[in-house]
Amino acid sequence: MNLFPPPLLELSHISLSFKGVKAITDISFAVARGEICALIGPNGAGKSSLLNVINGVYQAQEGQIRFDGEVRRHMRPHHAAERGMARSFQNLALFKGMTVLDNVLTGRNLKRRSSWIEQALGIGRAPREDDEQRRRAEEVIEFLNIQSWRQSLVGTLPYGLQKRVELARALAAEPKLLLLDEPMAGMNAAEKKEMSRFIVDINREFGTTVVLIEHDIGVVMGISSHVVVLDYGRKIGDGPPEEVRANPEVIAAYLGTRH
Amino acid sequence: MLYSEAGQFSTRYAADRRLFRLRQDRLGLGLLLVFAFAVVPQVGNDYWFSAILTPFLVLSLAGLGLNLLTGYAGQLSLGSAAFMAAGAFATYNFQLRIEGLPLLASFALGGAVAALLSLVFGLPSLRIKGFYLIVSTLAAQFLVPWALVKYGWFSNYNASGVISAPRLDIFGLDLSSPAGRYVLTLGVVVALAFLARNIVRSELGRNWMAVRDMDTAAAVIGIPLARTKLLAFAISGFYLGVAGALWAFTYLGTVEPHGFDLNRSFQVLFIIIIGGMGSILGNFLGAAFIVLFPLLLSNLAGLLPGGLIDPGQLENIQKMIFGALIIVFLIREPEGLARLWQQFRARLRRWPLRY
Amino acid sequence: MTPFAQGDRRPTSGLPGWLHLQAAGQARSVALRHKRLGVWQERTWGEVLVEVGGLAGALSERGFRPGATLTILSNPRPEAVLLALAAQWLGGSAAVLDPRGEPGAPNLLARTPGRDFVFAEGLAEVERVRRAGLAPALIVYADPRGLNADLASGLISYPALAASTGGHVPALLARPVAVAFVFLRQGHGGEVELQETSHAELLREGQALVSGEALTEREEAFAARAFAASGQARYLLAPWLIAGFCLNFPEGLETRDIDRRELGPTLVAGTRETWQRLENMVRERLPAAGTWQRRLVDRALAPRAAGLTGLIGGWLVRRPLRDVLGFTRTRVPLIIGEPLPEASVQFFATLGIAVRNWKEAADWKAQDRTQRLTTAPDAAPSGFQRRSLSSVTGVQPV
Amino acid sequence: MDFFLEVLIGGLLAGVMYSLVAIGFVLIYKASGVFNFAQGAMVLFAALTFVSLGERGVPFWIAFLVTLGAMLLLALAVERLVLRPLVNRSPITLFMATLGLAYITEGAAQALWGAQVHGLDLGIEDIPLDLGGLLVSQFDLFAAGMATTLVLVLSVLFNKTRIGLSLRAVADDTLAAQAVGIRLSRIWVVVWAVAGLVALITGLLWGARLGVQFSLSLVVLKALPVLIIGGFSSVGGAIVGGLIVGASEKLAEIYAGPLIGSGIENWFPYVLAMLFLLVRPTGLFGERSIDRV
């Protein structure tokens, strides 16, 4: 067997700018299969932009992305999803007019095989497929413990729960790579603990590779096996948590001695 | 509340996918349908059939068509009447030019033509969002009636572009009486309403709502935006087309292109605003309102001592009230009458508990 | 071997014997139902028998011998019930602990007689087992989250265990005199109290309940999860097997009210806590004071609302309220253990729910103890204060 | 060739009229993000009020001021009864609200002043002017002059006065504007009032041209493609768009009409606008906004 499997995700020399304003400058790093990788850095360090580049919401001007053995310059969101990337957003991007169950089901839309006509008439592959989709969605709902809210509109749920529903929607796609943009933002200690538990369980149960942005260093050090530090759109640290924590430049960036 | 839910549970997902989960609801709908199909034709009179029930049904269907596009897929359209016109004239020509083509088949084909047209005018939606779209749909609104007048072929070279209904019979059963036209309309509308309800509950329906609620997220989870939007336009066009054909042939009997002007489009839009966006039931409530309200108003005016409101003013007053209602609904109940009904029902199911 | 004595319809081999009887009598009718993945999953008596037999096989293959004890640390769920039956099938017993972490719970766990075989519901319970210093040969878990990746020896998921036997069904070794359940609890003096219940005793209590309440195989029993597993083992399991009705488990603690309404049980067994919780929920959710709705409700719920008002109140308030709570079809509402305060009893009574209390009859104890001391197969570990069992005599209308 | 030029100039001058309506849109859109479908109804209302007052013997300027007052009241009502309750709702919702507003305004205008056609004479006799061999309508020139002055006045208003500056602040970044203490409601009232003024002037010009009647409210439909082409958020764009639409539809009518049939100026601008959209989704002068996620 191969002792050094190729990384699942590899960014090389990614640069991104909006209207000439540099958001990301020449960033390269690799995410190994099955690891939990944390992107940290002060606000405006370009973390979210980087996630958006990874799954093609933004198009990087330079550099290339290798995902699961496939090299691309530009990744279109739809294509990224097809290749096995799912993500959550910094400020919730749920479908507020739909129930929790329906939101989770949308996460599985790529798993559909039957045509819309079959579904509309309830013929052919549709009925069995509907059962299958529902069962898988329910499994995710059970895994994340949101059974009680199955039929409630997500718009009406408290913030912490919505975060969990968004995670559920991403998880329902059975992704290879899970991109989480501040999954614990605005949560209290207990909620954070619960959420970290879920993330670790997902990683352990399904072997899903996770790339997450988080500000709470405690949480980051607790759950991640690999930390990448950004500052002003540049990479200033990359490695296992304890190593990164010792990195003087990182400390400087966080204590702000340099600014 | 008045019926017991206890003991109604599903052991299979299929049971959850039924039209209504509760036995009593299914029963109620069944009774309503039996009443509409069997009882009404016996007891109703011609005035009701041709002045109230038939237009109500047709407008409900039109509302449904627009609702699929605007209420579910979130794509605003002001061109509904154009697609209704397309459906009507296409149906007319299919009947005219293909010997012995069954009536329902020509309705379907007419709808298909409208769907195609709607698809074409939906293409810009791939590039542009929100109310920029109304330009594209308004283009249809002005282009289609113009073409129908301008090119005599569409109306079989009738001087003023007027078309009139073919013989309305299905399997040799003559339906040209007011009651018959009502039943024919009812049948088509009910069938299409059921289909629509299945669609919006299916993956496609969820994709529509996803695109409506947040298209960036929809794209990120792999929903094909272009396909989803275009299907919305096509299916909506089909419904509007069939509605147009019914409007022309089971309601009016004869119609000219200008019967499908911008005001008709507004009327359909108002139906879904008042009835409720993103709801099947809403279209029927909204249509009922639009049809009954003017009658109510004129009757009220009639009650007032003579000359207090002269008939000329009535139209203006009606217009103002409609405008005001639109704003009130958008402010107070953006999801329309359907929402009110749902809230009422939810309360009833919890009564006497509050939550 | 046959679980029944010749000519006698009554099984001579304890609870599992009754399982055989029901499976023989009504193999196709539903025995267990629990809500999972959004729908009510059903097991027929036939399936239950096969499943329990398979579990028994798997357990015996892993060295579970007559007299051994399986410790169950779980909220009520079908897996727990079936595993207990499997242990009893093999002539062993099940020690049922309440998983909700009350003070002193861990040391209860440490004192369980069944140290080698444990059913722990999920990750939290497994960790508690390990913290308590037990090193069981076998830990079975039902909820896989966080455990699938755990490769510790002896740890196996319930489905894996159930599938692990090659269809080999061991002989039915349960005997009426054998201990079926062991209950542990913290005594008022802080000392650990141990209760051992024999099949015979459970069946006697169960029979009393069945005849007392005229339970039939058509009942739908609802086992609120808050109602401790031990309580269910004592008061629902035996009647379930004897009367052969269907036992239903809700999806979870927070969904139990919705689930109860969906299910509309005919037999509800709860504790004082569960009944009072229900009452409080209703009281706080009634229409706001001062509204006309509230006045209507109050009039309808006033005791002895008779005549026309009573009729109206019944149709407009009491009946709908019963339905919202899922008591429309409830025929046998039971409260086990300490009775409800008079007010609460009244409250439910006005709703038309006559909550009945099952009392313990002290006078049976002594005779009962002697009987048990002579017959109990295994002497309990020294250091435990032996306490005899209560047993149920019959209905005590409140 | 001369003929072509005449058609072109005629079109351009007609386009000026479209621009006038479009400017009303742009003002409101910039300030409140509302796509005001009621602009046409406002034109009708203003013109009808003015004419009816005139017919009742009210002198020109009084009538003008009274009408202006009416438009101000309308603006106040709109801000209080429509915009405020619907604040930060989706643009589409706001648009549909203005549909309702249009119905109310039209209904009110006709309920008050009746539906018959009123003639309006601004005292400019419409005799063609001969400019170096080209025949140009004097009235159109006058209209163009009005439009130009109006635009100049507006640009002064918005670039020099405090209210104008705060308006632009709101247009740039509503939240920031509120943060520095600009009261949105005031801005809205002002803008809608100014839009009312624009509507009045438009109404007078169009009314003098076609007579004051219901069809005035349909000029809104002419303005839509103008906006799409010019971009919703730029007054300059509105003017250029107007000229483009005016010129192209006249040329199309003259040169393409014979081929595909007459009366195409109803839909031609829309098709033109659609083509523009496909090439340049934000119009000629509109700026693109990147939606953040």
Side-chain angles (χ1 to χ4, degrees), chain C residues 74-109:
Chain C
S74 163
N75 288 298
R77 57 190 297 158
E79 292 89 342
V81 173
L82 300 185
L83 269 170
L85 280 170
Q88 291 153 355
W89 180 301
L90 296 172
S93 62
V96 186
L97 281 79
D98 197 329
R100 284 164 304 162
E102 345 160 312
N107 81 42
L108 280 185
L109 192 54

mmCIF file of all heavy atoms in Angstrom, chain C residues 74-109:
data_model
loop_
_atom_site.group_PDB
_atom_site.id
_atom_site.type_symbol
_atom_site.label_atom_id
_atom_site.label_comp_id
_atom_site.label_asym_id
_atom_site.label_seq_id
_atom_site.Cartn_x
_atom_site.Cartn_y
_atom_site.Cartn_z
ATOM 1 N N SER C 74 -29.371 2.092 29.871
ATOM 2 C CA SER C 74 -29.957 2.651 28.659
ATOM 3 C C SER C 74 -31.320 3.232 28.953
ATOM 4 O O SER C 74 -32.006 2.795 29.876
ATOM 5 C CB SER C 74 -30.095 1.543 27.607
ATOM 6 O OG SER C 74 -31.002 1.968 26.600
ATOM 7 N N ASN C 75 -31.696 4.230 28.163
ATOM 8 C CA ASN C 75 -33.089 4.647 28.173
ATOM 9 C C ASN C 75 -33.906 3.514 27.583
ATOM 10 O O ASN C 75 -33.376 2.692 26.828
ATOM 11 C CB ASN C 75 -33.252 5.909 27.326
ATOM 12 C CG ASN C 75 -32.663 7.107 28.016
ATOM 13 O OD1 ASN C 75 -33.106 7.480 29.092
ATOM 14 N ND2 ASN C 75 -31.629 7.683 27.413
ATOM 15 N N PRO C 76 -35.187 3.482 27.908
ATOM 16 C CA PRO C 76 -36.014 2.422 27.343
ATOM 17 C C PRO C 76 -35.956 2.461 25.827
ATOM 18 O O PRO C 76 -36.132 3.519 25.220
ATOM 19 C CB PRO C 76 -37.414 2.782 27.826
ATOM 20 C CG PRO C 76 -37.217 3.617 29.022
ATOM 21 C CD PRO C 76 -35.954 4.362 28.792
ATOM 22 N N ARG C 77 -35.640 1.343 25.227
ATOM 23 C CA ARG C 77 -35.687 1.220 23.770
ATOM 24 C C ARG C 77 -35.750 -0.260 23.452
ATOM 25 O O ARG C 77 -35.361 -1.100 24.266
ATOM 26 C CB ARG C 77 -34.479 1.893 23.123
ATOM 27 C CG ARG C 77 -33.134 1.383 23.601
ATOM 28 C CD ARG C 77 -32.030 2.272 23.087
ATOM 29 N NE ARG C 77 -31.956 2.260 21.635
ATOM 30 C CZ ARG C 77 -31.388 3.240 20.930
ATOM 31 N NH1 ARG C 77 -30.862 4.283 21.548
ATOM 32 N NH2 ARG C 77 -31.329 3.178 19.605
ATOM 33 N N PRO C 78 -36.271 -0.591 22.271
ATOM 34 C CA PRO C 78 -36.490 -2.006 21.960
ATOM 35 C C PRO C 78 -35.253 -2.855 22.205
ATOM 36 O O PRO C 78 -35.348 -3.936 22.797
ATOM 37 C CB PRO C 78 -36.846 -1.975 20.476
ATOM 38 C CG PRO C 78 -37.399 -0.627 20.243
ATOM 39 C CD PRO C 78 -36.683 0.292 21.180
ATOM 40 N N GLU C 79 -34.091 -2.338 21.807
ATOM 41 C CA GLU C 79 -32.879 -3.147 21.963
ATOM 42 C C GLU C 79 -32.715 -3.595 23.413
ATOM 43 O O GLU C 79 -32.409 -4.771 23.690
ATOM 44 C CB GLU C 79 -31.650 -2.345 21.520
ATOM 45 C CG GLU C 79 -31.603 -2.064 20.028
ATOM 46 C CD GLU C 79 -32.313 -0.765 19.678
ATOM 47 O OE1 GLU C 79 -33.113 -0.276 20.511
ATOM 48 O OE2 GLU C 79 -32.075 -0.234 18.565
ATOM 49 N N ALA C 80 -32.951 -2.674 24.363
ATOM 50 C CA ALA C 80 -32.786 -3.028 25.774
ATOM 51 C C ALA C 80 -33.748 -4.140 26.154
ATOM 52 O O ALA C 80 -33.360 -5.152 26.751
ATOM 53 C CB ALA C 80 -33.024 -1.799 26.645
ATOM 54 N N VAL C 81 -35.017 -3.988 25.753
ATOM 55 C CA VAL C 81 -36.023 -4.997 26.099
ATOM 56 C C VAL C 81 -35.616 -6.358 25.541
ATOM 57 O O VAL C 81 -35.581 -7.369 26.243
ATOM 58 C CB VAL C 81 -37.391 -4.575 25.532
ATOM 59 C CG1 VAL C 81 -38.405 -5.677 25.739
ATOM 60 C CG2 VAL C 81 -37.846 -3.277 26.168
ATOM 61 N N LEU C 82 -35.240 -6.361 24.253
ATOM 62 C CA LEU C 82 -34.950 -7.644 23.601
ATOM 63 C C LEU C 82 -33.716 -8.295 24.207
ATOM 64 O O LEU C 82 -33.683 -9.511 24.448
ATOM 65 C CB LEU C 82 -34.770 -7.425 22.087
ATOM 66 C CG LEU C 82 -36.003 -6.844 21.406
ATOM 67 C CD1 LEU C 82 -35.809 -6.769 19.904
ATOM 68 C CD2 LEU C 82 -37.240 -7.658 21.735
ATOM 69 N N LEU C 83 -32.687 -7.487 24.512
ATOM 70 C CA LEU C 83 -31.479 -8.069 25.121
ATOM 71 C C LEU C 83 -31.799 -8.657 26.485
ATOM 72 O O LEU C 83 -31.350 -9.759 26.834
ATOM 73 C CB LEU C 83 -30.388 -7.005 25.241
ATOM 74 C CG LEU C 83 -29.441 -6.917 24.055
ATOM 75 C CD1 LEU C 83 -28.558 -5.696 24.146
ATOM 76 C CD2 LEU C 83 -28.600 -8.187 23.936
ATOM 77 N N ALA C 84 -32.634 -7.938 27.273
ATOM 78 C CA ALA C 84 -33.019 -8.473 28.589
ATOM 79 C C ALA C 84 -33.682 -9.837 28.408
ATOM 80 O O ALA C 84 -33.326 -10.822 29.065
ATOM 81 C CB ALA C 84 -33.968 -7.505 29.281
ATOM 82 N N LEU C 85 -34.611 -9.912 27.431
ATOM 83 C CA LEU C 85 -35.294 -11.191 27.193
ATOM 84 C C LEU C 85 -34.287 -12.264 26.793
ATOM 85 O O LEU C 85 -34.372 -13.416 27.235
ATOM 86 C CB LEU C 85 -36.354 -11.017 26.109
ATOM 87 C CG LEU C 85 -37.669 -10.401 26.578
ATOM 88 C CD1 LEU C 85 -38.558 -10.057 25.395
ATOM 89 C CD2 LEU C 85 -38.390 -11.356 27.522
ATOM 90 N N ALA C 86 -33.294 -11.867 25.964
ATOM 91 C CA ALA C 86 -32.293 -12.855 25.536
ATOM 92 C C ALA C 86 -31.521 -13.381 26.741
ATOM 93 O O ALA C 86 -31.318 -14.597 26.891
ATOM 94 C CB ALA C 86 -31.345 -12.215 24.527
ATOM 95 N N ALA C 87 -31.129 -12.456 27.634
ATOM 96 C CA ALA C 87 -30.395 -12.888 28.826
ATOM 97 C C ALA C 87 -31.250 -13.853 29.635
ATOM 98 O O ALA C 87 -30.786 -14.908 30.080
ATOM 99 C CB ALA C 87 -30.025 -11.669 29.666
ATOM 100 N N GLN C 88 -32.539 -13.521 29.785
ATOM 101 C CA GLN C 88 -33.426 -14.391 30.569
ATOM 102 C C GLN C 88 -33.628 -15.722 29.862
ATOM 103 O O GLN C 88 -33.710 -16.780 30.479
ATOM 104 C CB GLN C 88 -34.756 -13.675 30.798
ATOM 105 C CG GLN C 88 -34.609 -12.484 31.731
ATOM 106 C CD GLN C 88 -35.648 -11.423 31.471
ATOM 107 O OE1 GLN C 88 -36.435 -11.519 30.533
ATOM 108 N NE2 GLN C 88 -35.644 -10.393 32.307
ATOM 109 N N TRP C 89 -33.682 -15.670 28.554
ATOM 110 C CA TRP C 89 -33.799 -16.903 27.732
ATOM 111 C C TRP C 89 -32.724 -17.893 28.167
ATOM 112 O O TRP C 89 -32.966 -19.082 28.319
ATOM 113 C CB TRP C 89 -33.629 -16.500 26.284
ATOM 114 C CG TRP C 89 -33.711 -17.598 25.262
ATOM 115 C CD1 TRP C 89 -32.932 -18.705 25.165
ATOM 116 C CD2 TRP C 89 -34.626 -17.660 24.166
ATOM 117 N NE1 TRP C 89 -33.284 -19.449 24.087
ATOM 118 C CE2 TRP C 89 -34.332 -18.843 23.438
ATOM 119 C CE3 TRP C 89 -35.656 -16.844 23.705
ATOM 120 C CZ2 TRP C 89 -35.029 -19.214 22.289
ATOM 121 C CZ3 TRP C 89 -36.333 -17.222 22.560
ATOM 122 C CH2 TRP C 89 -36.039 -18.379 21.868
ATOM 123 N N LEU C 90 -31.527 -17.373 28.394
ATOM 124 C CA LEU C 90 -30.403 -18.237 28.746
ATOM 125 C C LEU C 90 -30.362 -18.541 30.243
ATOM 126 O O LEU C 90 -29.358 -18.995 30.768
ATOM 127 C CB LEU C 90 -29.097 -17.571 28.328
ATOM 128 C CG LEU C 90 -28.921 -17.356 26.832
ATOM 129 C CD1 LEU C 90 -27.708 -16.515 26.534
ATOM 130 C CD2 LEU C 90 -28.851 -18.702 26.119
ATOM 131 N N GLY C 91 -31.473 -18.220 30.945
ATOM 132 C CA GLY C 91 -31.493 -18.513 32.377
ATOM 133 C C GLY C 91 -30.744 -17.484 33.183
ATOM 134 O O GLY C 91 -30.458 -17.698 34.363
ATOM 135 N N GLY C 92 -30.419 -16.369 32.569
ATOM 136 C CA GLY C 92 -29.742 -15.313 33.302
ATOM 137 C C GLY C 92 -30.710 -14.213 33.670
ATOM 138 O O GLY C 92 -31.922 -14.365 33.547
ATOM 139 N N SER C 93 -30.159 -13.083 34.131
ATOM 140 C CA SER C 93 -31.017 -11.967 34.517
ATOM 141 C C SER C 93 -30.453 -10.679 33.929
ATOM 142 O O SER C 93 -29.332 -10.656 33.421
ATOM 143 C CB SER C 93 -31.071 -11.858 36.035
ATOM 144 O OG SER C 93 -29.758 -11.602 36.516
ATOM 145 N N ALA C 94 -31.272 -9.641 33.998
ATOM 146 C CA ALA C 94 -30.838 -8.339 33.516
ATOM 147 C C ALA C 94 -30.859 -7.351 34.662
ATOM 148 O O ALA C 94 -31.861 -7.258 35.382
ATOM 149 C CB ALA C 94 -31.768 -7.867 32.399
ATOM 150 N N ALA C 95 -29.731 -6.640 34.857
ATOM 151 C CA ALA C 95 -29.678 -5.591 35.873
ATOM 152 C C ALA C 95 -29.906 -4.260 35.176
ATOM 153 O O ALA C 95 -29.109 -3.849 34.328
ATOM 154 C CB ALA C 95 -28.324 -5.602 36.564
ATOM 155 N N VAL C 96 -31.049 -3.629 35.505
ATOM 156 C CA VAL C 96 -31.426 -2.424 34.778
ATOM 157 C C VAL C 96 -31.082 -1.190 35.591
ATOM 158 O O VAL C 96 -31.519 -1.056 36.734
ATOM 159 C CB VAL C 96 -32.933 -2.430 34.464
ATOM 160 C CG1 VAL C 96 -33.275 -1.251 33.584
ATOM 161 C CG2 VAL C 96 -33.324 -3.729 33.796
ATOM 162 N N LEU C 97 -30.232 -0.327 35.023
ATOM 163 C CA LEU C 97 -29.868 0.911 35.713
ATOM 164 C C LEU C 97 -30.435 2.096 34.959
ATOM 165 O O LEU C 97 -30.540 2.077 33.733
ATOM 166 C CB LEU C 97 -28.347 1.052 35.803
ATOM 167 C CG LEU C 97 -27.686 0.218 36.890
ATOM 168 C CD1 LEU C 97 -27.553 -1.211 36.422
ATOM 169 C CD2 LEU C 97 -26.341 0.800 37.247
ATOM 170 N N ASP C 98 -30.775 3.120 35.735
ATOM 171 C CA ASP C 98 -31.298 4.327 35.118
ATOM 172 C C ASP C 98 -30.127 5.121 34.546
ATOM 173 O O ASP C 98 -29.218 5.489 35.280
ATOM 174 C CB ASP C 98 -32.035 5.154 36.168
ATOM 175 C CG ASP C 98 -32.935 6.164 35.507
ATOM 176 O OD1 ASP C 98 -32.572 6.611 34.409
ATOM 177 O OD2 ASP C 98 -33.989 6.482 36.066
ATOM 178 N N PRO C 99 -30.121 5.386 33.236
ATOM 179 C CA PRO C 99 -28.959 6.041 32.638
ATOM 180 C C PRO C 99 -28.856 7.509 33.007
ATOM 181 O O PRO C 99 -27.795 8.108 32.885
ATOM 182 C CB PRO C 99 -29.233 5.897 31.140
ATOM 183 C CG PRO C 99 -30.712 5.858 31.050
ATOM 184 C CD PRO C 99 -31.183 5.145 32.278
ATOM 185 N N ARG C 100 -29.965 8.108 33.465
ATOM 186 C CA ARG C 100 -29.876 9.542 33.746
ATOM 187 C C ARG C 100 -29.019 9.748 34.975
ATOM 188 O O ARG C 100 -29.278 9.178 36.035
ATOM 189 C CB ARG C 100 -31.278 10.125 33.939
ATOM 190 C CG ARG C 100 -32.008 10.313 32.618
ATOM 191 C CD ARG C 100 -33.480 10.503 32.852
ATOM 192 N NE ARG C 100 -34.042 9.391 33.608
ATOM 193 C CZ ARG C 100 -35.218 9.459 34.241
ATOM 194 N NH1 ARG C 100 -35.886 10.578 34.236
ATOM 195 N NH2 ARG C 100 -35.677 8.409 34.886
ATOM 196 N N GLY C 101 -27.965 10.513 34.810
ATOM 197 C CA GLY C 101 -26.918 10.619 35.834
ATOM 198 C C GLY C 101 -27.405 11.272 37.115
ATOM 199 O O GLY C 101 -27.235 12.461 37.334
ATOM 200 N N GLU C 102 -28.082 10.512 37.978
ATOM 201 C CA GLU C 102 -28.416 11.059 39.296
ATOM 202 C C GLU C 102 -27.165 10.923 40.161
ATOM 203 O O GLU C 102 -26.293 10.117 39.844
ATOM 204 C CB GLU C 102 -29.541 10.243 39.917
ATOM 205 C CG GLU C 102 -30.244 9.358 38.895
ATOM 206 C CD GLU C 102 -31.008 8.221 39.537
ATOM 207 O OE1 GLU C 102 -30.427 7.548 40.404
ATOM 208 O OE2 GLU C 102 -32.170 8.044 39.157
ATOM 209 N N PRO C 103 -27.049 11.704 41.213
ATOM 210 C CA PRO C 103 -25.871 11.563 42.072
ATOM 211 C C PRO C 103 -25.728 10.122 42.558
ATOM 212 O O PRO C 103 -26.707 9.483 42.918
ATOM 213 C CB PRO C 103 -26.164 12.523 43.245
ATOM 214 C CG PRO C 103 -27.638 12.795 43.180
ATOM 215 C CD PRO C 103 -27.979 12.709 41.733
ATOM 216 N N GLY C 104 -24.541 9.607 42.497
ATOM 217 C CA GLY C 104 -24.325 8.251 43.002
ATOM 218 C C GLY C 104 -24.558 7.184 41.959
ATOM 219 O O GLY C 104 -24.325 6.008 42.196
ATOM 220 N N ALA C 105 -24.997 7.605 40.779
ATOM 221 C CA ALA C 105 -25.255 6.594 39.752
ATOM 222 C C ALA C 105 -23.999 5.772 39.426
ATOM 223 O O ALA C 105 -24.071 4.550 39.365
ATOM 224 C CB ALA C 105 -25.787 7.267 38.499
ATOM 225 N N PRO C 106 -22.852 6.409 39.244
ATOM 226 C CA PRO C 106 -21.673 5.617 38.901
ATOM 227 C C PRO C 106 -21.419 4.498 39.908
ATOM 228 O O PRO C 106 -21.191 3.361 39.529
ATOM 229 C CB PRO C 106 -20.541 6.643 38.926
ATOM 230 C CG PRO C 106 -21.202 7.947 38.720
ATOM 231 C CD PRO C 106 -22.546 7.835 39.334
ATOM 232 N N ASN C 107 -21.574 4.810 41.209
ATOM 233 C CA ASN C 107 -21.212 3.723 42.119
ATOM 234 C C ASN C 107 -22.257 2.626 42.083
ATOM 235 O O ASN C 107 -21.960 1.470 42.327
ATOM 236 C CB ASN C 107 -20.912 4.249 43.534
ATOM 237 C CG ASN C 107 -22.166 4.501 44.343
ATOM 238 O OD1 ASN C 107 -23.098 3.709 44.317
ATOM 239 N ND2 ASN C 107 -22.194 5.621 45.036
ATOM 240 N N LEU C 108 -23.506 2.977 41.679
ATOM 241 C CA LEU C 108 -24.476 1.909 41.405
ATOM 242 C C LEU C 108 -23.902 0.989 40.335
ATOM 243 O O LEU C 108 -23.872 -0.229 40.477
ATOM 244 C CB LEU C 108 -25.787 2.503 40.898
ATOM 245 C CG LEU C 108 -26.758 3.087 41.911
ATOM 246 C CD1 LEU C 108 -28.035 3.508 41.215
ATOM 247 C CD2 LEU C 108 -27.055 2.066 42.998
ATOM 248 N N LEU C 109 -23.389 1.654 39.281
ATOM 249 C CA LEU C 109 -22.836 0.877 38.168
ATOM 250 C C LEU C 109 -21.717 -0.021 38.682
ATOM 251 O O LEU C 109 -21.627 -1.191 38.355
ATOM 252 C CB LEU C 109 -22.310 1.855 37.108
ATOM 253 C CG LEU C 109 -21.957 1.284 35.750
ATOM 254 C CD1 LEU C 109 -23.129 0.524 35.178
ATOM 255 C CD2 LEU C 109 -21.568 2.418 34.807
#
